mmCIF file with all atom_site columns, all heavy atoms in Angstrom:
data_model
loop_
_atom_site.group_PDB
_atom_site.id
_atom_site.type_symbol
_atom_site.label_atom_id
_atom_site.label_alt_id
_atom_site.label_comp_id
_atom_site.label_asym_id
_atom_site.label_entity_id
_atom_site.label_seq_id
_atom_site.pdbx_PDB_ins_code
_atom_site.Cartn_x
_atom_site.Cartn_y
_atom_site.Cartn_z
_atom_site.occupancy
_atom_site.B_iso_or_equiv
_atom_site.pdbx_formal_charge
_atom_site.auth_seq_id
_atom_site.auth_comp_id
_atom_site.auth_asym_id
_atom_site.auth_atom_id
_atom_site.pdbx_PDB_model_num
ATOM 1   N N   . VAL A 1 64 ? 81.534 91.797 107.818 1.00 92.00 ? 82 VAL A N   1
ATOM 2   C CA  . VAL A 1 64 ? 80.813 91.461 109.042 1.00 92.00 ? 82 VAL A CA  1
ATOM 3   C C   . VAL A 1 64 ? 81.479 92.104 110.247 1.00 92.00 ? 82 VAL A C   1
ATOM 4   O O   . VAL A 1 64 ? 82.660 92.425 110.222 1.00 92.00 ? 82 VAL A O   1
ATOM 5   C CB  . VAL A 1 64 ? 80.738 89.924 109.242 1.00 92.00 ? 82 VAL A CB  1
ATOM 6   C CG1 . VAL A 1 64 ? 79.864 89.279 108.187 1.00 92.00 ? 82 VAL A CG1 1
ATOM 7   C CG2 . VAL A 1 64 ? 82.114 89.285 109.256 1.00 92.00 ? 82 VAL A CG2 1
ATOM 8   N N   . GLN A 1 65 ? 80.689 92.286 111.298 1.00 93.00 ? 83 GLN A N   1
ATOM 9   C CA  . GLN A 1 65 ? 81.217 92.745 112.581 1.00 93.00 ? 83 GLN A CA  1
ATOM 10  C C   . GLN A 1 65 ? 81.678 91.522 113.348 1.00 93.00 ? 83 GLN A C   1
ATOM 11  O O   . GLN A 1 65 ? 81.032 90.465 113.291 1.00 93.00 ? 83 GLN A O   1
ATOM 12  C CB  . GLN A 1 65 ? 80.137 93.473 113.374 1.00 93.00 ? 83 GLN A CB  1
ATOM 13  C CG  . GLN A 1 65 ? 79.656 94.736 112.723 1.00 93.00 ? 83 GLN A CG  1
ATOM 14  C CD  . GLN A 1 65 ? 78.462 95.330 113.459 1.00 93.00 ? 83 GLN A CD  1
ATOM 15  O OE1 . GLN A 1 65 ? 77.750 94.647 114.183 1.00 93.00 ? 83 GLN A OE1 1
ATOM 16  N NE2 . GLN A 1 65 ? 78.250 96.617 113.257 1.00 93.00 ? 83 GLN A NE2 1
ATOM 17  N N   . VAL A 1 66 ? 82.774 91.647 114.068 1.00 94.00 ? 84 VAL A N   1
ATOM 18  C CA  . VAL A 1 66 ? 83.314 90.520 114.824 1.00 94.00 ? 84 VAL A CA  1
ATOM 19  C C   . VAL A 1 66 ? 83.763 90.966 116.206 1.00 94.00 ? 84 VAL A C   1
ATOM 20  O O   . VAL A 1 66 ? 83.987 92.152 116.450 1.00 94.00 ? 84 VAL A O   1
ATOM 21  C CB  . VAL A 1 66 ? 84.521 89.863 114.086 1.00 94.00 ? 84 VAL A CB  1
ATOM 22  C CG1 . VAL A 1 66 ? 84.083 89.241 112.769 1.00 94.00 ? 84 VAL A CG1 1
ATOM 23  C CG2 . VAL A 1 66 ? 85.652 90.849 113.871 1.00 94.00 ? 84 VAL A CG2 1
ATOM 24  N N   . MET A 1 67 ? 83.889 89.961 117.088 1.00 94.00 ? 85 MET A N   1
ATOM 25  C CA  . MET A 1 67 ? 84.539 90.126 118.380 1.00 94.00 ? 85 MET A CA  1
ATOM 26  C C   . MET A 1 67 ? 85.678 89.117 118.404 1.00 94.00 ? 85 MET A C   1
ATOM 27  O O   . MET A 1 67 ? 85.511 87.966 117.977 1.00 94.00 ? 85 MET A O   1
ATOM 28  C CB  . MET A 1 67 ? 83.578 89.848 119.533 1.00 94.00 ? 85 MET A CB  1
ATOM 29  C CG  . MET A 1 67 ? 82.485 90.885 119.684 1.00 94.00 ? 85 MET A CG  1
ATOM 30  S SD  . MET A 1 67 ? 83.086 92.504 120.146 1.00 94.00 ? 85 MET A SD  1
ATOM 31  C CE  . MET A 1 67 ? 83.338 92.286 121.886 1.00 94.00 ? 85 MET A CE  1
ATOM 32  N N   . VAL A 1 68 ? 86.836 89.554 118.901 1.00 94.00 ? 86 VAL A N   1
ATOM 33  C CA  . VAL A 1 68 ? 88.037 88.724 118.901 1.00 94.00 ? 86 VAL A CA  1
ATOM 34  C C   . VAL A 1 68 ? 88.541 88.566 120.328 1.00 94.00 ? 86 VAL A C   1
ATOM 35  O O   . VAL A 1 68 ? 88.592 89.530 121.091 1.00 94.00 ? 86 VAL A O   1
ATOM 36  C CB  . VAL A 1 68 ? 89.131 89.383 118.022 1.00 94.00 ? 86 VAL A CB  1
ATOM 37  C CG1 . VAL A 1 68 ? 90.427 88.604 118.087 1.00 94.00 ? 86 VAL A CG1 1
ATOM 38  C CG2 . VAL A 1 68 ? 88.649 89.522 116.589 1.00 94.00 ? 86 VAL A CG2 1
ATOM 39  N N   . ASP A 1 69 ? 88.907 87.332 120.661 1.00 92.00 ? 87 ASP A N   1
ATOM 40  C CA  . ASP A 1 69 ? 89.505 87.058 121.964 1.00 92.00 ? 87 ASP A CA  1
ATOM 41  C C   . ASP A 1 69 ? 90.897 87.683 121.967 1.00 92.00 ? 87 ASP A C   1
ATOM 42  O O   . ASP A 1 69 ? 91.739 87.321 121.162 1.00 92.00 ? 87 ASP A O   1
ATOM 43  C CB  . ASP A 1 69 ? 89.597 85.546 122.171 1.00 92.00 ? 87 ASP A CB  1
ATOM 44  C CG  . ASP A 1 69 ? 90.133 85.159 123.540 1.00 92.00 ? 87 ASP A CG  1
ATOM 45  O OD1 . ASP A 1 69 ? 90.882 85.954 124.158 1.00 92.00 ? 87 ASP A OD1 1
ATOM 46  O OD2 . ASP A 1 69 ? 89.821 84.045 123.992 1.00 92.00 ? 87 ASP A OD2 1
ATOM 47  N N   . PRO A 1 70 ? 91.182 88.651 122.850 1.00 89.00 ? 88 PRO A N   1
ATOM 48  C CA  . PRO A 1 70 ? 92.487 89.317 122.839 1.00 89.00 ? 88 PRO A CA  1
ATOM 49  C C   . PRO A 1 70 ? 93.646 88.373 123.170 1.00 89.00 ? 88 PRO A C   1
ATOM 50  O O   . PRO A 1 70 ? 94.773 88.599 122.740 1.00 89.00 ? 88 PRO A O   1
ATOM 51  C CB  . PRO A 1 70 ? 92.360 90.419 123.890 1.00 89.00 ? 88 PRO A CB  1
ATOM 52  C CG  . PRO A 1 70 ? 91.125 90.160 124.643 1.00 89.00 ? 88 PRO A CG  1
ATOM 53  C CD  . PRO A 1 70 ? 90.288 89.198 123.868 1.00 89.00 ? 88 PRO A CD  1
ATOM 54  N N   . MET A 1 71 ? 93.372 87.288 123.888 1.00 89.00 ? 89 MET A N   1
ATOM 55  C CA  . MET A 1 71 ? 94.428 86.342 124.241 1.00 89.00 ? 89 MET A CA  1
ATOM 56  C C   . MET A 1 71 ? 94.644 85.283 123.148 1.00 89.00 ? 89 MET A C   1
ATOM 57  O O   . MET A 1 71 ? 95.720 84.721 123.039 1.00 89.00 ? 89 MET A O   1
ATOM 58  C CB  . MET A 1 71 ? 94.093 85.641 125.561 1.00 89.00 ? 89 MET A CB  1
ATOM 59  C CG  . MET A 1 71 ? 93.894 86.617 126.728 1.00 89.00 ? 89 MET A CG  1
ATOM 60  S SD  . MET A 1 71 ? 95.290 87.725 126.988 1.00 89.00 ? 89 MET A SD  1
ATOM 61  C CE  . MET A 1 71 ? 96.440 86.595 127.706 1.00 89.00 ? 89 MET A CE  1
ATOM 62  N N   . GLN A 1 72 ? 93.616 85.015 122.359 1.00 91.00 ? 90 GLN A N   1
ATOM 63  C CA  . GLN A 1 72 ? 93.686 84.033 121.270 1.00 91.00 ? 90 GLN A CA  1
ATOM 64  C C   . GLN A 1 72 ? 93.011 84.632 120.039 1.00 91.00 ? 90 GLN A C   1
ATOM 65  O O   . GLN A 1 72 ? 91.823 84.395 119.787 1.00 91.00 ? 90 GLN A O   1
ATOM 66  C CB  . GLN A 1 72 ? 93.001 82.724 121.662 1.00 91.00 ? 90 GLN A CB  1
ATOM 67  C CG  . GLN A 1 72 ? 93.668 82.032 122.816 1.00 91.00 ? 90 GLN A CG  1
ATOM 68  C CD  . GLN A 1 72 ? 92.915 80.774 123.216 1.00 91.00 ? 90 GLN A CD  1
ATOM 69  O OE1 . GLN A 1 72 ? 91.735 80.621 122.973 1.00 91.00 ? 90 GLN A OE1 1
ATOM 70  N NE2 . GLN A 1 72 ? 93.634 79.859 123.839 1.00 91.00 ? 90 GLN A NE2 1
ATOM 71  N N   . PRO A 1 73 ? 93.735 85.430 119.246 1.00 91.00 ? 91 PRO A N   1
ATOM 72  C CA  . PRO A 1 73 ? 93.127 86.168 118.141 1.00 91.00 ? 91 PRO A CA  1
ATOM 73  C C   . PRO A 1 73 ? 92.470 85.298 117.073 1.00 91.00 ? 91 PRO A C   1
ATOM 74  O O   . PRO A 1 73 ? 91.660 85.785 116.309 1.00 91.00 ? 91 PRO A O   1
ATOM 75  C CB  . PRO A 1 73 ? 94.296 86.951 117.546 1.00 91.00 ? 91 PRO A CB  1
ATOM 76  C CG  . PRO A 1 73 ? 95.373 86.916 118.559 1.00 91.00 ? 91 PRO A CG  1
ATOM 77  C CD  . PRO A 1 73 ? 95.133 85.751 119.440 1.00 91.00 ? 91 PRO A CD  1
ATOM 78  N N   . GLN A 1 74 ? 92.789 83.999 117.039 1.00 93.00 ? 92 GLN A N   1
ATOM 79  C CA  . GLN A 1 74 ? 92.129 83.121 116.076 1.00 93.00 ? 92 GLN A CA  1
ATOM 80  C C   . GLN A 1 74 ? 90.699 82.781 116.514 1.00 93.00 ? 92 GLN A C   1
ATOM 81  O O   . GLN A 1 74 ? 89.914 82.276 115.714 1.00 93.00 ? 92 GLN A O   1
ATOM 82  C CB  . GLN A 1 74 ? 92.942 81.835 115.871 1.00 93.00 ? 92 GLN A CB  1
ATOM 83  C CG  . GLN A 1 74 ? 94.239 82.061 115.123 1.00 93.00 ? 92 GLN A CG  1
ATOM 84  C CD  . GLN A 1 74 ? 94.028 82.593 113.717 1.00 93.00 ? 92 GLN A CD  1
ATOM 85  O OE1 . GLN A 1 74 ? 93.191 82.096 112.972 1.00 93.00 ? 92 GLN A OE1 1
ATOM 86  N NE2 . GLN A 1 74 ? 94.775 83.622 113.357 1.00 93.00 ? 92 GLN A NE2 1
ATOM 87  N N   . ARG A 1 75 ? 90.368 83.069 117.757 1.00 93.00 ? 93 ARG A N   1
ATOM 88  C CA  . ARG A 1 75 ? 88.991 82.867 118.241 1.00 93.00 ? 93 ARG A CA  1
ATOM 89  C C   . ARG A 1 75 ? 88.186 84.103 117.887 1.00 93.00 ? 93 ARG A C   1
ATOM 90  O O   . ARG A 1 75 ? 88.298 85.148 118.542 1.00 93.00 ? 93 ARG A O   1
ATOM 91  C CB  . ARG A 1 75 ? 88.975 82.610 119.737 1.00 93.00 ? 93 ARG A CB  1
ATOM 92  C CG  . ARG A 1 75 ? 89.591 81.262 120.099 1.00 93.00 ? 93 ARG A CG  1
ATOM 93  C CD  . ARG A 1 75 ? 89.518 80.984 121.563 1.00 93.00 ? 93 ARG A CD  1
ATOM 94  N NE  . ARG A 1 75 ? 88.110 80.929 121.985 1.00 93.00 ? 93 ARG A NE  1
ATOM 95  C CZ  . ARG A 1 75 ? 87.718 80.893 123.252 1.00 93.00 ? 93 ARG A CZ  1
ATOM 96  N NH1 . ARG A 1 75 ? 88.612 80.928 124.219 1.00 93.00 ? 93 ARG A NH1 1
ATOM 97  N NH2 . ARG A 1 75 ? 86.444 80.846 123.550 1.00 93.00 ? 93 ARG A NH2 1
ATOM 98  N N   . VAL A 1 76 ? 87.390 83.972 116.849 1.00 94.00 ? 94 VAL A N   1
ATOM 99  C CA  . VAL A 1 76 ? 86.618 85.091 116.307 1.00 94.00 ? 94 VAL A CA  1
ATOM 100 C C   . VAL A 1 76 ? 85.147 84.699 116.292 1.00 94.00 ? 94 VAL A C   1
ATOM 101 O O   . VAL A 1 76 ? 84.800 83.580 115.909 1.00 94.00 ? 94 VAL A O   1
ATOM 102 C CB  . VAL A 1 76 ? 87.082 85.431 114.869 1.00 94.00 ? 94 VAL A CB  1
ATOM 103 C CG1 . VAL A 1 76 ? 86.248 86.543 114.273 1.00 94.00 ? 94 VAL A CG1 1
ATOM 104 C CG2 . VAL A 1 76 ? 88.561 85.790 114.856 1.00 94.00 ? 94 VAL A CG2 1
ATOM 105 N N   . VAL A 1 77 ? 84.285 85.625 116.705 1.00 92.00 ? 95 VAL A N   1
ATOM 106 C CA  . VAL A 1 77 ? 82.845 85.412 116.680 1.00 92.00 ? 95 VAL A CA  1
ATOM 107 C C   . VAL A 1 77 ? 82.225 86.489 115.797 1.00 92.00 ? 95 VAL A C   1
ATOM 108 O O   . VAL A 1 77 ? 82.507 87.679 115.981 1.00 92.00 ? 95 VAL A O   1
ATOM 109 C CB  . VAL A 1 77 ? 82.244 85.490 118.102 1.00 92.00 ? 95 VAL A CB  1
ATOM 110 C CG1 . VAL A 1 77 ? 80.728 85.395 118.063 1.00 92.00 ? 95 VAL A CG1 1
ATOM 111 C CG2 . VAL A 1 77 ? 82.828 84.419 118.987 1.00 92.00 ? 95 VAL A CG2 1
ATOM 112 N N   . ILE A 1 78 ? 81.405 86.074 114.854 1.00 91.00 ? 96 ILE A N   1
ATOM 113 C CA  . ILE A 1 78 ? 80.678 87.031 114.013 1.00 91.00 ? 96 ILE A CA  1
ATOM 114 C C   . ILE A 1 78 ? 79.472 87.519 114.803 1.00 91.00 ? 96 ILE A C   1
ATOM 115 O O   . ILE A 1 78 ? 78.670 86.725 115.287 1.00 91.00 ? 96 ILE A O   1
ATOM 116 C CB  . ILE A 1 78 ? 80.240 86.378 112.691 1.00 91.00 ? 96 ILE A CB  1
ATOM 117 C CG1 . ILE A 1 78 ? 81.470 85.973 111.884 1.00 91.00 ? 96 ILE A CG1 1
ATOM 118 C CG2 . ILE A 1 78 ? 79.341 87.329 111.908 1.00 91.00 ? 96 ILE A CG2 1
ATOM 119 C CD1 . ILE A 1 78 ? 81.173 85.174 110.635 1.00 91.00 ? 96 ILE A CD1 1
#
Side-chain angles (χ1 to χ4, degrees):
V82 292
Q83 296 173 338
V84 295
M85 291 294 281
V86 176
D87 183 334
M89 302 305 286
Q90 297 177 336
Q92 290 298 314
R93 291 183 62 190
V94 177
V95 175
I96 296 173

